[in-house]
Amino acid sequence: MRYVTRLVLVSLLFAASLLVAAEMPDFKKIIERQRISEMNRWKQASELRAETDRPMDYYDTHGMTIDITLDFETETFNAICTLEIESLEDNLDHFSFDYDNSYYVQSIKLDGVNLEWVPEDTVVSAFFNESVQAGEIFTIEVEYFSLPENRLEDGLKFEYHAGVPVAFTMCSPRGARKWIPCNDTPADKIDTVDLYISYPTEYLSASNGILQETIDNGDGTKTDHWHESHPVTSYLISLAVTNYEISSFTFEWEGQTMPVDNYVYPEQYDVAVNLFNQSADMLAFYSSIYGPYPFLDEKYGHAVCTSLGATAMEHQTCTSYNAGSIGADDASYTVAHELSHQWGGDCISINGWYDVWLKEGFATYSEALWAEYQFSTEGLIQYMEDLDSGSQLDPCIYRDPEGSANEIFNWVVYAKGAWVMHMLRGVIGDDNFFQTLSGILADPEYRYGNYNTDQFRDYAEEVSGMDLDWFFDCWYWNEGRPRYSYTIYCSEDSDDAILGIFSEGTAGADFDMMIPYECNGAVSSIFVPAGMGHYTLLGTNSTYDIVMDPYSFVLDAGFALQQPTLSEIPQRDGKVGLVWEPFFDEEIEGYHIYRSENGDEFIRITDEPLDATSWLDENLNTESEYSYKISAVYQGYQSNFSNTIVTQPIDYSLDMGIMIVDNSMDYNTGTLPTDEEMDAFYDDLMLHYNYTAWDVSDQGYPPLSEMGKYSTVIWHADDIQQMPLVDDIYRLQNYTLAGGNLLISQCKKTSAMQPAILDQFFEITGVTYNNQPDFIGAISADTSEFPNIPIDPDRLPLPNWTDAMGYVSRFEIDESVEVLYTYDSISDDPDWEGQPCAFRLQNPNIILLGFPLYHMMAAEAQTFMQDVLHAFGELDPAVDDPTAPQYSTDVTLYPNPFNPELNIRLSMEKPGLTEIRIYNVRGELVRSYEPEMLDAGIYTRVWDGCNQQGNPVSSGIYMVRTNHADKVSVTRAALIK
């Protein structure tokens, strides 16, 4: 579909319309109303049995005469149906018709001679005394009557309107067998039908074709003789009888005139006539694009019915319309739908219900064409986009004939069927598309006959001169829809550009597609097969203003313009590390990197495309600000630039002690703590420790250049109304990977973070917070290290929380993560009692609390804080001697950058080395080692550039982290392949 805000007009056979100035209706509302109507219609249909194109394919029905008498008092009928049959095989010894016990068969005769007959499930079979040969024509007469207890949902129905009875037929898809003996399939079209309807004289009848005569029977009844001279399928034969009033007008086309007779209820006369008279313009419009109305020598019209079972039904030459739907908003689109069926569905019918999209998709697209006629291209595009109901259109439009009625008449055949028509138009062009439709409707091979999808495809191929197997293979059989990623590659040395586009199906199936695009005001199309492709766009280098599918001709899952996405990991000592995800186009040569210093012009710093997804920029000035962007390179052409990263090389000194970051909002009313109260609480927790305070509300988030000065950061977000950390998680990640210690005290919103962040940074596989006041304290997993911490009932944030705290989180964590505290539930809720609500990571050194310290008892919270600072290695001024000599650890990495191996050498003054861990720039653990002692105080290890599973890792920047007697060292290494 289109991905552009402006409207692009397309040249059509009927682009000019006098109705363009009208206000467009709410197409979504119209479409939804019709969808619900169709679904209700088919819910009433019986289960469909398996079928071939013609279940009883040994005969052909040439003529049918139905002589039926309606009894409105008993709501029954009796009838004689006479069928003129041609045998299609030699030695035919029986005749069968579809049946479902809705009426009682009195007799069956062959050319006036009574036959023996047997009902078998859904078929009645009559047996001949002498066999019939192929080509012979014989007459079958069936006499039958209905039973009053068989009140039908379809077939021939009796209802009421304004206290007056009405009788009518509603037969699609399998209801014709309920009132006439027939081969109940659209494949066996009956050449001519004569219908004699006897009913009370005060009423009028409506039926197919032309009313030949009306006979007064002299007994309070009359008989109307209707004659349908064109072939008709059994489910399109109809009658309707009640106290109708007739509103008529004359339609003229190319010198030929035809009556349009609308049979309406007297109580609805004005509104019904106003609606049905709109068919005059529609008849002219559809005749202009599909060819003359196919029953121009007969009539068109409507017959109103009560509880039809659908909004309307396209009975041949006389559409039935549900009385309750006449006043609906812009019901004219239903009028348009059913009228268009006179061409697609009635004149040319489907071979079997598996191809129902050919008629319902055709009629639904005819609605879109009517919107285009009224509102120009804007109406067409809006209608088609509103018709796209997402995953509802994922099934294929082929229908399994063994499926139920609900499966066969699924909404997908209407909406996706219309989209297939629309896409075919986009593929073969307007002239070929409308020539295909008008041509096949006029072709003697198909006109008044049947066709299937393959025949429709072949006709479109003949008209267009194109091979369309690929199109119908995709859109007739596939599930899902294509999704596209694309980019534009340009070069300073060429006026052309290259379009790179990747196609994948949402349900796994491959989709080939002809995709229109607009560039610099010119419209072209390209054939895009599944997978990755590259296409030269001539003379387009000066712009990226390319609009994919400007007219919404593709039923896609999106066109996503791709660009490289750049992120950065600030480094120590004048270095900046850049990382990016691999570009969607796997055929690129690599990436170029551009750098700007202090806002100067960007300069490319790579001579050749870099075949990696990371870059270490060294020897930078820590006083300068640097900007970076990258582009992907394909055959010397470059993609559009990535986002721009602005950074300053960070020197992580970690030598200024403790920073307390107040990430809580400032409140001054109610029971919520004020900023001053929060600051005073944390000041009391610190006792005699020195610290630097940072208030996010006043100062914003602390930059890494500032955080990197401190060995420990206490980050608290203890109020219940804020979403802390969500926007700043990578800042904390960089800080901890550089060796900083981090304690987070927070309320409620850990669950707001992305699962990937929770997993990669905190090693959390799931988090939930309890919005009920149920938490009464945190139970320590080891009271010798940390104390139990109960809540403070006097400092609960909400007045209705009197005994317990709400918005406390429980964590699902890996077994390797250390649980510090578990949840103490006042209600002993088994979902919460004993669940982890605080934990500690060792590498990096992080403690995360799922409860807010501020609302806990101050004494226990203070003890906890002192224990944390001790565990973090912070010197207590009241206990520790800051002048005592400190031990050191030297870490040497060589060669650096490296390929294929990195030598890791550690020299330490104090024993206690526990582990070597290697992380990538996203903080994911790649490899861990036990150290090997080379000599006294010297350890070594060789990293082979593989992960824990032994698989080689990609080029990039990696952190080598060592734990040594509570001292953490982090050193960077660059792998360049």
Side-chain angles (χ1 to χ4, degrees):
M1 294 187 296
R2 63 174 178 169
Y3 294 86
V4 61
T5 56
R6 66 183 185 277
L7 174 67
V8 183
L9 295 179
V10 59
S11 174
L12 300 175
L13 298 177
F14 41 86
S17 170
L18 298 178
L19 305 176
V20 174
E23 181 180 352
M24 270 197 296
D26 184 346
F27 290 138
K28 283 187 177 180
K29 186 175 181 181
I30 293 170
I31 291 166
E32 179 62 14
R33 184 181 71 245
Q34 296 188 178
R35 184 189 70 83
I36 292 173
S37 170
E38 293 301 332
M39 295 306 99
N40 290 338
R41 170 183 179 179
W42 305 123
K43 283 178 182 177
Q44 298 178 2
S46 61
E47 292 289 307
L48 301 184
R49 62 176 172 81
E51 64 165 68
T52 60
D53 278 359
R54 292 186 53 171
M56 289 170 280
D57 58 359
Y58 51 84
Y59 70 82
D60 186 25
T61 307
H62 286 304
M64 176 183 287
T65 299
I66 306 165
D67 191 340
I68 186 168
T69 299
L70 304 176
D71 188 330
F72 283 93
E73 291 186 3
T74 61
E75 297 185 348
T76 61
F77 64 86
N78 58 74
I80 297 175
C81 181
T82 305
L83 301 120
E84 187 179 88
I85 305 295
E86 178 185 357
S87 175
L88 299 180
E89 61 182 42
D90 287 332
N91 302 317
L92 180 65
D93 62 358
H94 71 284
F95 169 79
S96 300
F97 57 85
D98 289 307
Y99 178 68
D100 82 335
N101 294 312
S102 297
Y103 54 81
Y104 178 76
V105 176
Q106 292 176 285
S107 67
I108 302 177
K109 297 178 181 180
L110 169 62
D111 294 332
V113 178
N114 283 315
L115 300 178
E116 293 185 1
W117 54 274
V118 177
E120 296 177 340
D121 296 328
T122 61
V123 173
V124 169
S125 295
F127 301 95
F128 302 159
N129 297 323
E130 295 182 5
S131 60
V132 177
Q133 304 308 309
E136 290 188 30
I137 295 176
F138 56 92
T139 300
I140 294 288
E141 180 185 285
V142 182
E143 186 173 0
Y144 55 100
F145 61 86
S146 70
L147 305 174
E149 59 267 26
N150 286 354
R151 185 64 177 269
L152 303 178
E153 291 295 339
D154 60 352
L156 198 156
K157 303 173 64 173
F158 290 88
E159 297 286 350
Y160 286 87
H161 72 93
V164 179
V166 56
F168 59 91
T169 55
M170 175 62 175
C171 301
S172 179
R174 295 284 189 170
R177 68 189 66 188
K178 296 182 178 183
W179 76 287
I180 51 175
C182 61
N183 187 0
D184 201 1
T185 170
D188 186 9
K189 299 188 78 168
I190 305 160
D191 294 346
T192 61
V193 173
D194 286 277
L195 183 57
Y196 293 84
I197 311 168
S198 297
Y199 61 92
T201 55
E202 65 265 30
Y203 300 149
L204 293 176
S205 73
S207 186
N208 313 100
I210 296 176
L211 180 61
Q212 301 292 311
E213 63 175 334
T214 297
I215 303 171
D216 189 339
N217 299 319
D219 58 359
T221 68
K222 59 183 174 181
T223 300
D224 288 344
H225 173 202
W226 291 88
H227 176 69
E228 173 55 72
S229 61
H230 297 287
V232 59
T233 67
S234 56
Y235 75 91
L236 294 175
I237 300 173
S238 72
L239 63 81
V241 176
T242 191
N243 62 333
Y244 285 125
E245 292 187 13
I246 303 177
S247 171
S248 300
F249 64 85
T250 299
F251 171 70
E252 181 179 353
W253 184 258
E254 296 179 348
Q256 188 172 354
T257 60
M258 174 190 77
V260 178
D261 298 328
N262 297 309
Y263 292 75
V264 302
Y265 292 163
E267 66 272 17
Q268 282 187 313
Y269 185 86
D270 290 339
V271 64
V273 169
N274 287 338
L275 174 63
F276 297 147
N277 281 353
Q278 295 181 54
S279 61
D281 289 337
M282 297 173 187
L283 278 162
F285 168 64
Y286 290 130
S287 293
S288 71
I289 60 173
Y290 297 149
Y293 174 71
F295 309 106
L296 197 57
D297 56 346
E298 293 184 339
K299 73 168 190 314
Y300 186 60
H302 302 82
V304 177
C305 304
T306 300
S307 300
L308 181 66
T311 302
M313 177 63 206
E314 69 274 12
H315 294 129
Q316 190 159 306
T317 73
C318 186
T319 288
S320 296
Y321 208 105
N322 185 53
S325 304
I326 287 176
D329 293 342
D330 215 328
S332 61
Y333 279 84
T334 301
V335 175
H337 181 105
E338 307 304 334
L339 171 58
S340 70
H341 267 313
Q342 302 299 310
W343 283 266
D346 293 13
C347 174
I348 183 169
S349 304
I350 56 176
N351 273 343
W353 293 111
Y354 53 83
D355 265 342
V356 67
W357 82 273
L358 276 175
K359 79 181 190 76
E360 295 302 346
F362 171 88
T364 305
Y365 191 55
S366 295
E367 294 180 53
L369 296 179
W370 179 243
E372 181 178 22
Y373 173 72
Q374 289 185 298
F375 307 106
S376 192
T377 307
E378 184 178 1
L380 172 68
I381 293 174
Q382 190 63 58
Y383 197 94
M384 295 308 299
E385 291 187 347
D386 287 347
L387 196 62
D388 182 3
S389 52
S391 60
Q392 283 186 321
L393 305 193
D394 281 349
C396 68
I397 58 174
Y398 165 79
R399 301 286 89 188
D400 182 356
E402 296 186 13
S404 68
N406 286 344
E407 292 168 340
I408 289 181
F409 290 97
N410 186 284
W411 178 244
V412 71
V413 303
Y414 295 79
K416 190 173 184 177
W419 266 101
V420 172
M421 289 287 181
H422 186 59
M423 290 188 289
L424 178 64
R425 174 183 174 182
V427 168
I428 66 178
D430 276 1
D431 290 346
N432 288 331
F433 176 73
F434 290 106
Q435 185 178 340
T436 295
L437 294 179
S438 61
I440 199 169
L441 283 160
D443 192 318
E445 182 178 351
Y446 300 107
R447 186 170 178 82
Y448 304 117
N450 303 80
Y451 71 157
N452 59 30
T453 296
D454 288 346
Q455 292 168 321
F456 179 60
R457 176 204 60 207
D458 293 346
Y459 204 93
E461 287 182 335
E462 182 179 346
V463 170
S464 66
M466 299 172 62
D467 174 16
L468 295 173
D469 284 348
W470 62 269
F471 177 83
F472 285 91
D473 286 347
C474 290
W475 292 107
Y476 183 66
W477 297 106
N478 277 357
E479 295 189 2
R481 59 180 70 193
R483 177 190 296 115
Y484 298 100
S485 298
Y486 73 101
T487 194
I488 307 297
Y489 299 101
C490 297
S491 171
E492 295 179 354
D493 301 325
S494 174
D495 291 333
D496 302 333
I498 295 176
L499 170 65
I501 187 166
F502 180 76
S503 168
E504 60 179 343
T506 58
D510 288 339
F511 283 87
D512 301 337
M513 193 57 194
M514 187 75 73
I515 298 178
Y517 68 93
E518 183 188 16
C519 183
N520 297 338
V523 178
S524 301
S525 293
I526 51 173
F527 181 74
V528 177
M532 192 71 212
H534 298 87
Y535 311 90
T536 299
L537 309 179
L538 302 178
T540 58
N541 189 35
S542 61
T543 180
Y544 292 123
D545 185 23
I546 290 183
V547 180
M548 305 303 296
D549 191 20
Y551 316 135
S552 287
F553 269 123
V554 184
L555 184 63
D556 57 77
F559 284 83
L561 177 62
Q562 300 292 324
Q563 64 181 30
T565 302
L566 184 62
S567 58
E568 53 93 18
I569 300 293
Q571 309 291 319
R572 301 185 190 207
D573 307 323
K575 301 176 184 177
V576 168
L578 305 176
V579 295
W580 54 91
E581 293 292 330
F583 202 44
F584 82 102
D585 187 351
E586 296 181 351
E587 299 180 27
I588 62 170
E589 301 159 35
Y591 306 86
H592 276 315
I593 301 174
Y594 292 78
R595 180 181 67 200
S596 167
E597 183 174 0
N598 294 325
D600 292 340
E601 182 181 355
F602 275 95
I603 298 174
R604 196 177 79 188
I605 59 176
T606 47
D607 294 329
E608 297 295 331
L610 179 65
D611 184 17
T613 56
S614 62
W615 173 262
L616 183 63
D617 202 13
E618 302 184 86
N619 302 318
L620 301 175
N621 184 353
T622 57
E623 302 299 321
S624 293
E625 182 179 80
Y626 292 91
S627 300
Y628 295 89
K629 59 184 180 181
I630 65 173
S631 65
V633 182
Y634 175 79
Q635 294 186 356
Y637 289 70
Q638 294 191 61
S639 73
N640 49 326
F641 286 113
S642 70
N643 57 308
T644 298
I645 291 294
V646 180
T647 187
Q648 185 172 348
I650 304 299
D651 182 10
Y652 287 96
S653 62
L654 303 176
D655 59 1
M656 293 182 61
I658 304 166
M659 170 187 280
I660 295 183
V661 179
D662 180 359
N663 194 184
S664 298
M665 299 177 70
D666 297 338
Y667 296 102
N668 298 301
T669 60
T671 56
L672 297 172
T674 65
D675 189 48
E676 291 77 10
E677 290 171 332
M678 193 80 72
D679 291 343
F681 176 80
Y682 274 90
D683 186 69
D684 289 342
L685 298 188
M686 299 305 293
L687 283 177
H688 30 63
Y689 277 95
N690 295 318
Y691 65 90
T692 298
W694 189 283
D695 194 307
V696 173
S697 292
D698 294 337
Q699 300 170 269
Y701 285 116
L704 274 172
S705 58
E706 190 66 24
M707 288 177 59
K709 300 174 183 178
Y710 297 89
S711 53
T712 294
V713 170
I714 311 297
W715 193 295
H716 66 88
D718 286 351
D719 67 67
I720 65 170
Q721 298 194 22
Q722 196 180 6
M723 287 179 120
L725 310 181
V726 175
D727 297 327
D728 207 55
I729 198 69
Y730 291 109
R731 185 189 313 258
L732 302 182
Q733 182 182 34
N734 291 332
Y735 169 75
T736 56
L737 287 176
N741 305 306
L742 178 64
L743 167 66
I744 301 175
S745 170
Q746 51 88 52
C747 188
K748 178 181 178 182
K749 289 300 184 180
T750 308
S751 58
M753 299 182 200
Q754 294 295 323
I757 294 175
L758 294 171
D759 182 35
Q760 295 174 13
F761 183 42
F762 291 118
E763 300 183 30
I764 299 174
T765 57
V767 59
T768 309
Y769 73 88
N770 193 344
N771 59 8
Q772 299 300 315
D774 182 60
F775 177 73
I776 56 175
I779 305 301
S780 175
D782 183 359
T783 54
S784 66
E785 185 175 15
F786 298 108
N788 294 328
I789 314 177
I791 65 166
D792 185 344
D794 295 331
R795 261 204 321 274
L796 295 179
L798 296 180
N800 60 324
W801 292 358
T802 56
D803 300 313
M805 179 81 187
Y807 297 157
V808 172
S809 296
R810 68 179 182 199
F811 303 111
E812 297 173 25
I813 51 180
D814 190 88
E815 293 181 357
S816 62
V817 177
E818 181 185 3
V819 176
L820 293 189
Y821 286 98
T822 58
Y823 190 108
D824 189 5
S825 166
I826 193 173
S827 64
D828 293 324
D829 185 341
D831 290 335
W832 292 89
E833 182 68 34
Q835 296 298 313
C837 62
F839 61 88
R840 173 168 57 186
L841 302 177
Q842 296 286 356
N843 294 298
N845 207 7
I846 302 172
I847 292 177
L848 177 63
L849 306 181
F851 55 88
L853 269 180
Y854 177 82
H855 300 288
M856 314 302 286
M857 293 298 293
E860 286 81 354
Q862 187 180 79
T863 301
F864 166 76
M865 182 64 76
Q866 301 301 303
D867 291 340
V868 167
L869 294 175
H870 177 73
F872 281 169
E874 294 296 339
L875 296 179
D876 186 340
V879 178
D880 299 314
D881 181 4
T883 64
Q886 300 295 306
Y887 62 89
S888 63
T889 301
D890 293 328
V891 181
T892 305
L893 306 179
Y894 62 93
N896 193 9
F898 73 96
N899 184 18
E901 293 183 340
L902 175 69
N903 293 280
I904 307 170
R905 183 183 177 94
L906 304 99
S907 175
M908 56 197 67
E909 298 176 2
K910 182 178 178 180
L913 180 67
T914 58
E915 190 176 26
I916 299 171
R917 287 192 172 195
I918 299 169
Y919 294 83
N920 61 24
V921 293
R922 296 170 184 81
E924 300 164 334
L925 180 64
V926 174
R927 192 73 176 265
S928 63
Y929 289 106
E930 293 293 329
E932 297 176 351
M933 188 169 69
L934 183 64
D935 204 346
I938 300 177
Y939 293 81
T940 187
R941 193 76 204 198
V942 175
W943 181 38
D944 59 3
C946 294
N947 61 18
Q948 205 73 34
Q949 290 73 40
N951 300 319
V953 299
S954 60
S955 300
I957 301 166
Y958 294 87
M959 278 72 67
V960 179
R961 182 186 182 95
T962 61
N963 283 4
H964 172 215
D966 295 333
K967 183 177 179 64
V968 175
S969 297
V970 179
T971 311
R972 267 63 173 178
L975 172 59
I976 305 296
K977 293 183 177 181

